[in-house]
Amino acid sequence: MEYFHSVRLDWSRCKGCTNCIKRCPTEAIRVREGKAYIIQERCIDCGECIRVCPNHAKTAVGDSLEELSAYQYNIALPAPSFVSQFAPRASLEQTLGSLISLGFDAIFEVALAAEIVSKAARRYLDNYRGKRPLISPACPAVVGLIQVRFPSLLDQLLPLATPMDVAARLAKREGVAASGLPPEAVGTFFISPCPAKITAARQRRNGLAGPDGVIPMRDIYGDVLQNLKSAAPYPSRAGAGGYGWGHSGGEKKCIGGPHLLEVDGINQVIDVLTMIEAGYLQDIDYLEMQACPGGCVGGALMVTNPYVARMRLRELTSRIGPRPEELPEAGDSLKPYSYLPRPALRLDPDLATALEKMHQVEATDKMLPGLDCGACGAPSCRAFAEDVVRGEAQDIDCIIVLRERVRVVAEEVVELARKLPVSMARPERGNDKDEAE
Amino acid sequence: MKRNSKQPLEIVIPIKMKDFKAGGDGAARIKQVLQKIGFPPDIIRRVAIAAYEAEMNIVINSLGGEIKATVSTDVITIIARDYGPGIPDIELAMQEGYSTAPREIQEMGFGAGMGLPNIRRCADRMTVESKQGQGTTITIEIYNR
Ligand SMILES: Nc1ncnc2c1ncn2[C@@H]1O[C@H](COP(=O)(O)OP(=O)(O)OP(=O)(O)O)[C@@H](O)[C@H]1O
Ligand code: SF4
Ligand SMILES: [Mg+2]
């Protein structure tokens, strides 16, 4: 199976420093010949490597504003976290308006779709009697993590579409009505805080619709800023609840009710998923999970510091009503994907062969120093042992193993250097049997 | 390094008493190995639950011990062994809700008395042997079929 990924490496910037390899939660990065490369099957586009790279060599590739010309009527779908980047320099309405100056014809706030999803989620939770807790599918990096590392939890993903997809579907409907154009002439563009959403939008499955394009927030930040003051205000239809989805805890609050838990930051998410897999936290109904620190305000393609952005978003939403007056009819826009496991970590598709390989991994691991130094290009000695068994690395790529091997060879060389041609050799005194007697 | 692939894989993880910080690491390591071998998710989840409960019981109730996972393509065996003090009444301990965990352990989220019953639910076969003053050995088998 092929995966599209938005996270890419800028070769000219990468110094092969190995900073990124250890941060990757699916061990998807290796350094080879001085450059990092991403193992595509494993990447979940969480953006951790983008955040940690000191040389800014990791980037995310999305669509550009030029793609708008492929459609006759374009609708921007700003993520709830979008406005946090521009407050307090402009009001909510003015920030939305600046998107119009970039060439869009209309705006459909993803925050509005988030309200619809929250309402449907509440209804679903009220009637749900299955395995708990249910897990939010809104953060695609978390969904990817579950697919790769916690596939037994896939059936606990809340079976509702994400706010991004709901917004795309409803915006298309409204755009067709407003313009009188056929659906394929109406373009919907999500403004994304992260690479994970770019990838999610590109990996359309089951023929279910999502946005037609995704524009990285970072790419249009400057343009929005420039138009901010002069833009005509564009009316907002969402409430504070929907906008709350832009930071950690907001989704939980918008859905409402007891026994909801929010978790943010990829390592905390891994911790809590591990607990759930071991059967814990069954007293919790619903888990809001976001891969980024502080939630989407901390997305890898955002510009403002996540904590500052969160405060700005809260300030901004404190001035608008908690709920929109009227929600658009959801129709069939809430139809979810069914997510399948991504067995990207297994050593071999055949169980018996994989077991045999695991024997070899254990044996190889025992020969390694356990320093996890990264000089071999793998994130840990253990991961390196797996690479060796998979045939993707050689044991002497480990500098410690190599040094040991050199030592053995050097000793042999010294030994050999002592040897004389047989014609010249004399019996060595200490070892002479006759003499010892 | 050729080996008969019928030979099961053995992973032994020592468990220290009262080491709450590391508690669960053994089960996590076993899970990781099974995932890399490619066992189905539901089998892995059952092993994860059973191994975690067995591990935490050693951490909380015993003087320390070890968890050994023996993995072949058709059965995964977890043997949790500790050095004491042993379980005085196994039948009682196996009952749902029975726990001797003190308040401070309960405050950490343990001590619902559900560990051993949960292991039984996840296992295809389970045996508990215990000698007072000597220790406890729990053997858990989960079949892959
Ligand atoms: N390895 C052990 N050594 C000694 N006693 C044990 C051991 N394992 C369990 N017990 C005893 O059996 C009781 C029940 O164990 P069980 O795992 O079912 O519940 P718990 O550990 O008390 O609570 P929970 O597992 O729900 O957190 C324990 O409270 C303890 O008294
Ligand atoms: S938390 Fe939000 S910004 Fe971060 S990866 Fe998930 S969806 Fe994207
Ligand atoms: Mg227990």
Side-chain angles (χ1 to χ4, degrees):
Chain A
M1 183 160 181
E2 280 221 15
Y3 295 101
F4 163 87
H5 290 292
S6 58
V7 175
R8 305 287 170 79
L9 182 78
D10 180 344
W11 277 65
S12 62
R13 286 187 166 188
C14 177
K15 293 185 177 155
C17 67
T18 72
N19 268 307
C20 56
I21 56 177
K22 281 178 197 273
R23 266 288 268 278
C24 176
T26 54
E27 297 187 329
I29 312 176
R30 297 292 183 275
V31 175
R32 292 274 182 278
E33 290 160 3
K35 300 285 176 195
Y37 87 97
I38 301 172
I39 304 168
Q40 297 296 317
E41 301 80 56
R42 293 189 181 187
C43 175
I44 57 169
D45 295 273
C46 64
E48 285 295 305
C49 55
I50 296 182
R51 253 193 285 272
V52 76
C53 178
N55 307 309
H56 307 290
K58 291 284 200 322
T59 52
V61 180
D63 298 302
S64 70
L65 287 170
E66 277 146 43
E67 318 281 334
L68 267 62
S69 62
Y71 303 88
Q72 292 172 52
Y73 186 88
N74 287 292
I75 308 170
L77 316 170
S81 52
F82 170 79
V83 293
S84 71
Q85 304 295 293
F86 307 99
R89 278 167 285 209
S91 67
L92 173 59
E93 286 76 10
Q94 220 157 348
T95 310
L96 295 178
S98 69
L99 283 172
I100 298 289
S101 1
L102 298 192
F104 288 100
D105 299 289
I107 289 160
F108 192 105
E109 297 155 277
V110 175
L112 184 64
E115 307 263 5
I116 298 172
V117 172
S118 301
K119 212 172 125 192
R122 184 68 264 161
R123 206 175 318 127
Y124 191 88
L125 289 174
D126 287 341
N127 298 310
Y128 181 71
R129 295 288 168 270
K131 238 191 276 176
R132 291 198 299 172
L134 282 169
I135 304 168
S136 169
C139 173
V142 170
V143 172
L145 185 73
I146 294 175
Q147 288 176 296
V148 173
R149 285 187 54 179
F150 301 91
S152 78
L153 301 179
L154 282 171
D155 56 359
Q156 277 167 260
L157 285 170
L158 176 76
L160 289 176
T162 64
M164 173 180 82
D165 287 340
V166 173
R169 294 167 194 173
L170 295 179
K172 184 81 96 179
R173 194 177 74 189
E174 289 186 359
V176 167
S179 66
L181 292 163
E184 54 291 359
V186 175
T188 55
F189 288 86
F190 181 68
I191 316 293
S192 181
C194 63
K197 292 275 192 196
I198 301 177
T199 301
R202 288 274 177 92
Q203 283 175 351
R204 294 289 107 196
R205 269 161 295 195
N206 323 350
L208 289 170
D212 296 310
V214 181
I215 298 173
M217 162 60 219
R218 188 179 280 177
D219 294 2
I220 57 163
Y221 178 80
D223 292 337
V224 173
L225 211 54
Q226 214 167 29
N227 289 301
L228 210 51
K229 287 272 151 24
S230 58
Y234 189 94
S236 165
R237 293 152 73 194
Y243 271 104
W245 276 63
H247 59 69
S248 173
E251 173 182 353
K252 172 183 107 166
K253 194 170 170 202
C254 194
I255 293 173
H259 314 302
L260 274 61
L261 174 68
E262 81 271 30
V263 183
D264 61 281
I266 193 95
N267 291 318
Q268 301 300 332
V269 166
I270 290 169
D271 251 28
V272 172
L273 290 176
T274 305
M275 287 172 74
I276 298 174
E277 203 166 46
Y280 282 72
L281 302 178
Q282 289 181 27
D283 57 328
I284 290 169
D285 288 339
Y286 187 73
L287 270 176
E288 169 198 319
M289 291 197 133
Q290 282 160 308
C292 296
C296 296
V297 287
L301 302 178
M302 294 298 233
V303 177
T304 310
N305 172 282
Y307 297 95
V308 175
R310 183 171 65 188
M311 182 188 71
R312 298 295 182 221
L313 186 57
R314 283 192 182 133
E315 283 171 358
L316 196 109
T317 52
S318 70
R319 291 193 284 273
I320 59 179
R323 282 263 121 90
E325 321 236 298
E326 208 179 331
L327 284 180
E329 196 50 53
D332 59 359
S333 68
L334 288 161
K335 200 159 172 237
Y337 294 115
S338 43
Y339 296 98
L340 298 173
R342 278 171 56 185
L345 301 175
R346 67 183 178 192
L347 290 164
D348 198 279
D350 175 64
L351 197 69
T353 312
L355 181 59
E356 170 57 26
K357 286 185 175 171
M358 188 49 84
H359 272 292
Q360 294 169 18
V361 170
E362 292 286 330
T364 309
D365 194 21
K366 286 203 180 76
M367 289 170 12
L368 300 173
L371 288 172
D372 294 344
C373 68
C376 58
S380 64
C381 294
R382 177 85 192 173
F384 175 67
E386 287 173 23
D387 288 354
V388 171
V389 171
R390 286 175 203 270
E392 281 147 19
Q394 291 185 341
D395 57 354
I396 51 166
D397 293 339
C398 168
I399 50 170
I400 307 293
V401 170
L402 179 67
R403 201 183 67 153
E404 178 60 18
R405 199 87 30 108
V406 168
R407 187 184 65 79
V408 171
V409 171
E411 279 174 8
E412 273 170 22
V413 168
V414 168
E415 187 69 20
L416 285 173
R418 281 216 203 91
K419 290 235 192 294
L420 291 167
V422 267
S423 58
M424 296 166 71
R426 293 223 225 139
E428 267 182 55
R429 297 217 147 220
N431 289 344
D432 200 304
K433 266 191 184 167
D434 295 336
E435 223 172 35
E437 270 168 13
Chain B
M1 277 231 302
K2 268 278 159 227
R3 197 192 313 265
N4 177 0
S5 68
K6 294 273 169 351
Q7 191 179 325
L9 175 75
E10 243 178 44
I11 301 155
V12 182
I13 301 149
I15 312 289
K16 287 201 201 111
M17 67 182 285
K18 303 284 180 276
D19 188 356
F20 289 96
K21 195 99 187 100
D25 288 3
R29 163 129 157 72
I30 291 169
K31 178 211 148 163
Q32 222 173 38
V33 167
L34 298 183
Q35 197 163 46
K36 297 218 157 137
I37 298 172
F39 283 97
D42 60 307
I43 298 286
I44 292 176
R45 188 171 191 173
R46 282 163 59 200
V47 175
I49 295 173
Y52 183 79
E53 292 296 350
E55 180 174 0
M56 289 319 292
N57 275 357
I58 294 179
V59 171
I60 295 173
N61 299 304
S62 85
L63 304 169
E66 64 170 40
I67 297 236
K68 183 166 86 180
T70 310
V71 185
S72 67
T73 51
D74 39 38
V75 55
I76 297 151
T77 310
I78 308 282
I79 300 177
R81 194 194 330 253
D82 65 56
Y83 317 124
I87 304 177
D89 185 341
I90 294 174
E91 212 175 305
L92 187 62
M94 291 292 294
Q95 279 175 22
E96 279 191 18
Y98 176 80
S99 175
T100 58
R103 260 269 293 286
E104 65 270 20
I105 298 283
Q106 284 175 1
E107 275 159 10
M108 295 173 77
F110 303 102
M114 291 304 291
L116 292 171
N118 275 339
I119 297 175
R120 184 163 51 194
R121 238 189 307 278
C122 291
D124 290 303
R125 262 178 54 117
M126 173 191 187
T127 59
V128 183
E129 292 161 77
S130 191
K131 274 222 183 75
Q132 265 207 278
Q134 283 186 27
T136 305
T137 302
I138 300 180
T139 307
I140 302 153
E141 281 180 6
I142 291 170
Y143 303 139
N144 177 33
R145 56 175 175 216

